[in-house]
Amino acid sequence: MAKTPTKSTIERIRSEDAPRTIGRPSVDSATVGREALIEATCELLKKMPPRKMTRAEVARASGVDPSLIRYYFKNVHLLLIEAAKLFNARYAHKVQLLTKRAGTDPEARLKVRIGALVDLIAEYPYYQRLIVEEILESDDPEAKALMERMTAGGIEGYAAIIEDGVAQGAFRRIDPALLFTSIIGLAEFQTTAHALLNLPRRTTRISTDFRENYKNFIFDLIIQGLRP
Protein backbone atom coordinates (compact mmCIF):
# COMPACT_ATOMS: atom_id res chain seq x y z
CA MET A 1 0.00 0.00 0.00
CA ALA A 2 1.51 3.35 -1.05
CA LYS A 3 2.48 5.74 1.71
CA THR A 4 1.56 9.41 1.78
CA PRO A 5 4.40 11.50 0.29
CA THR A 6 6.40 13.46 2.86
CA LYS A 7 5.96 17.19 3.24
CA SER A 8 9.36 17.87 1.68
CA THR A 9 8.48 15.79 -1.38
CA ILE A 10 5.09 17.51 -1.80
CA GLU A 11 6.67 20.97 -1.50
CA ARG A 12 9.33 20.06 -4.05
CA ILE A 13 6.76 18.79 -6.56
CA ARG A 14 4.51 21.82 -6.09
CA SER A 15 7.36 24.26 -6.60
CA GLU A 16 8.37 22.47 -9.79
CA ASP A 17 4.79 22.35 -11.09
CA ALA A 18 4.60 26.16 -11.20
CA PRO A 19 3.35 27.65 -14.52
CA ARG A 20 5.96 27.80 -17.30
CA THR A 21 6.17 29.21 -20.76
CA ILE A 22 5.10 26.90 -23.57
CA GLY A 23 7.75 25.33 -25.75
CA ARG A 24 11.28 24.05 -25.47
CA PRO A 25 13.81 26.44 -23.84
CA SER A 26 15.61 28.41 -26.52
CA VAL A 27 19.13 27.95 -25.12
CA ASP A 28 22.19 26.15 -26.45
CA SER A 29 21.82 23.50 -23.76
CA ALA A 30 18.46 22.52 -25.24
CA THR A 31 20.37 20.22 -27.60
CA VAL A 32 20.70 17.88 -24.61
CA GLY A 33 18.08 15.16 -24.96
CA ARG A 34 15.70 13.54 -22.53
CA GLU A 35 17.83 10.39 -22.21
CA ALA A 36 20.93 12.41 -21.30
CA LEU A 37 19.05 14.02 -18.41
CA ILE A 38 17.96 10.60 -17.15
CA GLU A 39 21.57 9.38 -17.36
CA ALA A 40 22.77 12.42 -15.41
CA THR A 41 20.16 11.72 -12.73
CA CYS A 42 21.37 8.14 -12.41
CA GLU A 43 24.94 9.38 -12.00
CA LEU A 44 23.86 11.77 -9.24
CA LEU A 45 22.45 8.81 -7.32
CA LYS A 46 26.03 7.68 -6.76
CA LYS A 47 26.50 10.54 -4.32
CA MET A 48 23.13 12.12 -3.52
CA PRO A 49 19.88 10.81 -1.99
CA PRO A 50 16.86 11.29 -4.25
CA ARG A 51 14.97 13.61 -1.90
CA LYS A 52 17.86 16.09 -1.97
CA MET A 53 17.87 16.17 -5.73
CA THR A 54 16.54 19.32 -7.38
CA ARG A 55 16.16 20.63 -10.91
CA ALA A 56 19.16 22.85 -10.25
CA GLU A 57 21.33 19.88 -9.24
CA VAL A 58 20.38 17.86 -12.32
CA ALA A 59 20.82 20.90 -14.56
CA ARG A 60 24.27 21.57 -13.13
CA ALA A 61 25.31 17.96 -13.66
CA SER A 62 23.99 18.02 -17.24
CA GLY A 63 25.21 21.50 -18.12
CA VAL A 64 21.74 22.65 -19.11
CA ASP A 65 19.15 25.23 -18.13
CA PRO A 66 16.80 23.93 -15.36
CA SER A 67 13.81 24.81 -17.54
CA LEU A 68 14.78 21.98 -19.88
CA ILE A 69 14.11 19.48 -17.09
CA ARG A 70 10.69 20.97 -16.53
CA TYR A 71 10.06 20.84 -20.28
CA TYR A 72 10.74 17.10 -20.49
CA PHE A 73 9.58 15.83 -17.07
CA LYS A 74 7.51 18.54 -15.34
CA ASN A 75 9.23 17.86 -11.98
CA VAL A 76 12.12 15.94 -10.45
CA HIS A 77 9.83 13.24 -9.06
CA LEU A 78 8.78 12.23 -12.58
CA LEU A 79 12.41 12.38 -13.70
CA LEU A 80 13.37 10.03 -10.87
CA ILE A 81 10.66 7.59 -11.96
CA GLU A 82 12.29 7.52 -15.39
CA ALA A 83 15.68 6.92 -13.76
CA ALA A 84 14.21 3.97 -11.84
CA LYS A 85 12.82 2.55 -15.10
CA LEU A 86 16.28 2.76 -16.66
CA PHE A 87 17.91 1.05 -13.67
CA ASN A 88 15.31 -1.72 -13.79
CA ALA A 89 15.73 -2.26 -17.54
CA ARG A 90 19.50 -2.50 -17.22
CA TYR A 91 19.31 -4.85 -14.23
CA ALA A 92 16.81 -7.11 -16.02
CA HIS A 93 18.98 -7.16 -19.16
CA LYS A 94 22.11 -8.05 -17.18
CA VAL A 95 20.31 -10.83 -15.30
CA GLN A 96 18.91 -12.21 -18.54
CA LEU A 97 22.33 -12.35 -20.23
CA LEU A 98 24.13 -13.87 -17.25
CA THR A 99 21.34 -16.39 -16.61
CA LYS A 100 21.73 -17.72 -20.16
CA ARG A 101 25.42 -18.31 -19.44
CA ALA A 102 24.58 -20.00 -16.12
CA GLY A 103 22.44 -22.59 -17.87
CA THR A 104 20.16 -24.82 -15.79
CA ASP A 105 22.21 -24.84 -12.58
CA PRO A 106 19.92 -23.29 -9.90
CA GLU A 107 22.84 -22.23 -7.68
CA ALA A 108 24.53 -20.41 -10.55
CA ARG A 109 21.26 -18.70 -11.53
CA LEU A 110 20.66 -17.63 -7.93
CA LYS A 111 24.17 -16.17 -7.75
CA VAL A 112 23.48 -14.19 -10.93
CA ARG A 113 20.49 -12.43 -9.36
CA ILE A 114 22.17 -11.77 -6.03
CA GLY A 115 25.41 -10.61 -7.65
CA ALA A 116 23.70 -8.24 -10.07
CA LEU A 117 21.79 -6.56 -7.24
CA VAL A 118 24.85 -6.24 -4.99
CA ASP A 119 26.80 -4.74 -7.90
CA LEU A 120 24.02 -2.26 -8.64
CA ILE A 121 23.83 -1.01 -5.05
CA ALA A 122 27.62 -0.88 -4.73
CA GLU A 123 27.82 1.39 -7.77
CA TYR A 124 24.73 3.44 -6.92
CA PRO A 125 24.45 3.61 -3.10
CA TYR A 126 21.21 5.59 -3.24
CA TYR A 127 19.44 3.23 -5.64
CA GLN A 128 17.38 1.53 -2.96
CA ARG A 129 16.29 4.87 -1.49
CA LEU A 130 15.18 5.84 -4.99
CA ILE A 131 13.00 2.75 -5.15
CA VAL A 132 11.53 3.17 -1.66
CA GLU A 133 11.09 6.96 -1.55
CA GLU A 134 10.18 7.76 -5.14
CA ILE A 135 8.57 4.55 -6.42
CA LEU A 136 7.12 2.53 -3.54
CA GLU A 137 5.78 5.62 -1.73
CA SER A 138 4.48 7.32 -4.89
CA ASP A 139 0.86 7.62 -5.97
CA ASP A 140 1.89 8.17 -9.58
CA PRO A 141 0.35 5.45 -11.83
CA GLU A 142 3.64 4.87 -13.67
CA ALA A 143 5.52 4.45 -10.38
CA LYS A 144 2.91 1.99 -9.12
CA ALA A 145 3.04 -0.01 -12.36
CA LEU A 146 6.84 -0.10 -12.25
CA MET A 147 6.84 -1.27 -8.62
CA GLU A 148 4.36 -4.02 -9.45
CA ARG A 149 6.45 -5.18 -12.43
CA MET A 150 9.68 -5.18 -10.44
CA THR A 151 8.14 -7.09 -7.53
CA ALA A 152 6.28 -9.63 -9.66
CA GLY A 153 9.30 -10.18 -11.90
CA GLY A 154 11.62 -10.65 -8.94
CA ILE A 155 9.36 -13.11 -7.15
CA GLU A 156 8.70 -15.08 -10.35
CA GLY A 157 12.43 -15.27 -11.08
CA TYR A 158 13.26 -16.65 -7.62
CA ALA A 159 10.25 -18.99 -7.73
CA ALA A 160 11.50 -20.55 -10.97
CA ILE A 161 14.97 -21.06 -9.48
CA ILE A 162 13.57 -22.63 -6.31
CA GLU A 163 11.29 -24.96 -8.28
CA ASP A 164 14.18 -26.16 -10.43
CA GLY A 165 16.39 -26.52 -7.35
CA VAL A 166 13.76 -28.61 -5.58
CA ALA A 167 13.28 -30.78 -8.68
CA GLN A 168 17.04 -31.37 -8.89
CA GLY A 169 17.32 -32.11 -5.17
CA ALA A 170 19.59 -29.10 -4.64
CA PHE A 171 17.17 -26.89 -2.65
CA ARG A 172 14.38 -27.33 -0.16
CA ARG A 173 11.07 -25.58 -0.83
CA ILE A 174 10.72 -22.07 0.62
CA ASP A 175 8.57 -18.99 0.01
CA PRO A 176 10.10 -17.19 -3.01
CA ALA A 177 8.53 -13.88 -1.99
CA LEU A 178 10.36 -13.97 1.34
CA LEU A 179 13.59 -14.98 -0.40
CA PHE A 180 13.15 -12.04 -2.80
CA THR A 181 12.65 -9.51 0.01
CA SER A 182 15.41 -11.00 2.19
CA ILE A 183 17.98 -10.72 -0.59
CA ILE A 184 16.98 -7.10 -1.19
CA GLY A 185 17.56 -6.40 2.50
CA LEU A 186 20.97 -8.07 2.52
CA ALA A 187 22.08 -6.31 -0.65
CA GLU A 188 20.79 -2.94 0.55
CA PHE A 189 22.66 -3.25 3.87
CA GLN A 190 25.94 -3.40 1.97
CA THR A 191 26.46 0.38 2.16
CA THR A 192 25.82 0.44 5.92
CA ALA A 193 28.04 -2.60 6.47
CA HIS A 194 30.83 -0.90 4.55
CA ALA A 195 30.51 2.25 6.66
CA LEU A 196 30.48 0.30 9.93
CA LEU A 197 33.51 -1.79 9.03
CA ASN A 198 35.52 1.16 7.72
CA LEU A 199 34.99 3.66 10.55
CA PRO A 200 38.70 4.46 11.08
CA ARG A 201 39.23 5.27 7.39
CA ARG A 202 35.88 7.02 6.84
CA THR A 203 35.80 5.87 3.22
CA THR A 204 32.48 6.14 1.44
CA ARG A 205 33.12 4.41 -1.87
CA ILE A 206 32.74 0.63 -1.70
CA SER A 207 35.91 -1.08 -2.87
CA THR A 208 35.89 -4.02 -5.29
CA ASP A 209 37.38 -6.29 -2.61
CA PHE A 210 34.68 -5.39 -0.08
CA ARG A 211 31.94 -5.86 -2.67
CA GLU A 212 33.20 -9.29 -3.69
CA ASN A 213 33.65 -10.45 -0.09
CA TYR A 214 30.16 -9.24 0.79
CA LYS A 215 28.71 -10.89 -2.31
CA ASN A 216 30.37 -14.22 -1.59
CA PHE A 217 29.16 -14.09 2.02
CA ILE A 218 25.56 -13.64 0.84
CA PHE A 219 25.98 -16.44 -1.71
CA ASP A 220 27.15 -18.82 0.99
CA LEU A 221 24.54 -17.71 3.52
CA ILE A 222 21.59 -18.09 1.14
CA ILE A 223 22.67 -21.24 -0.66
CA GLN A 224 23.57 -23.10 2.54
CA GLY A 225 20.19 -22.12 3.93
CA LEU A 226 18.41 -23.48 0.86
CA ARG A 227 20.05 -26.88 0.88
CA PRO A 228 17.84 -29.81 2.01
Side-chain angles (χ1 to χ4, degrees):
M1 183 175 180
K3 298 179 182 178
T4 303
T6 63
K7 183 178 180 182
S8 61
T9 301
I10 293 172
E11 289 174 347
R12 184 185 68 186
I13 293 173
R14 284 175 177 169
S15 68
E16 291 169 347
D17 283 346
R20 62 178 177 85
T21 56
I22 297 173
R24 183 172 176 146
S26 57
V27 293
D28 292 339
S29 63
T31 56
V32 174
R34 182 176 182 276
E35 289 72 23
L37 294 173
I38 298 171
E39 289 280 3
T41 302
C42 291
E43 285 299 301
L44 282 173
L45 287 164
K46 289 181 176 180
K47 59 183 180 181
M48 177 182 295
R51 286 193 175 164
K52 287 190 177 180
M53 206 173 292
T54 63
R55 284 194 299 120
E57 290 286 354
V58 178
R60 191 177 301 114
S62 309
V64 301
D65 189 286
S67 59
L68 188 64
I69 296 161
R70 184 181 292 175
Y71 169 78
Y72 280 122
F73 304 101
K74 190 177 180 181
N75 59 56
V76 172
H77 176 59
L78 297 182
L79 171 57
L80 287 166
I81 292 174
E82 294 303 316
K85 288 181 184 178
L86 181 59
F87 277 125
N88 183 54
R90 287 179 174 171
Y91 172 80
H93 181 65
K94 181 177 181 179
V95 167
Q96 184 179 36
L97 288 178
L98 294 178
T99 298
K100 285 181 180 179
R101 296 178 194 172
T104 59
D105 181 5
E107 287 191 13
R109 287 157 56 200
L110 184 59
K111 286 182 177 181
V112 163
R113 286 187 167 270
I114 295 172
L117 185 58
V118 170
D119 287 343
L120 175 58
I121 293 175
E123 187 173 359
Y124 299 93
Y126 293 104
Y127 166 77
Q128 195 60 22
R129 285 178 64 174
L130 166 71
I131 298 303
V132 173
E133 296 174 3
E134 301 293 336
I135 308 302
L136 181 61
E137 296 181 358
S138 176
D139 288 324
D140 183 90
E142 287 196 44
K144 288 183 175 181
L146 175 61
M147 194 73 251
E148 288 172 2
R149 287 197 305 274
M150 290 173 65
T151 303
I155 294 172
E156 287 169 9
Y158 284 112
I161 293 171
I162 295 301
E163 284 300 317
D164 288 347
V166 170
Q168 295 177 30
F171 295 157
R172 60 190 177 87
R173 192 174 299 281
I174 64 164
D175 186 338
L178 292 179
L179 178 63
F180 168 69
T181 52
S182 296
I183 288 171
I184 289 175
L186 286 167
E188 180 186 3
F189 195 74
Q190 176 185 193
T191 53
T192 302
H194 179 265
L196 288 172
L197 298 176
N198 288 276
L199 285 175
R201 293 185 291 279
R202 297 288 182 181
T203 56
T204 55
R205 187 165 182 80
I206 297 174
S207 68
T208 302
D209 286 346
F210 184 90
R211 182 198 307 195
E212 291 305 310
N213 287 338
Y214 193 83
K215 194 188 299 183
N216 288 329
F217 179 79
I218 295 177
F219 289 161
D220 186 63
L221 191 68
I222 297 294
I223 290 171
Q224 291 297 330
L226 285 172
R227 290 205 170 121

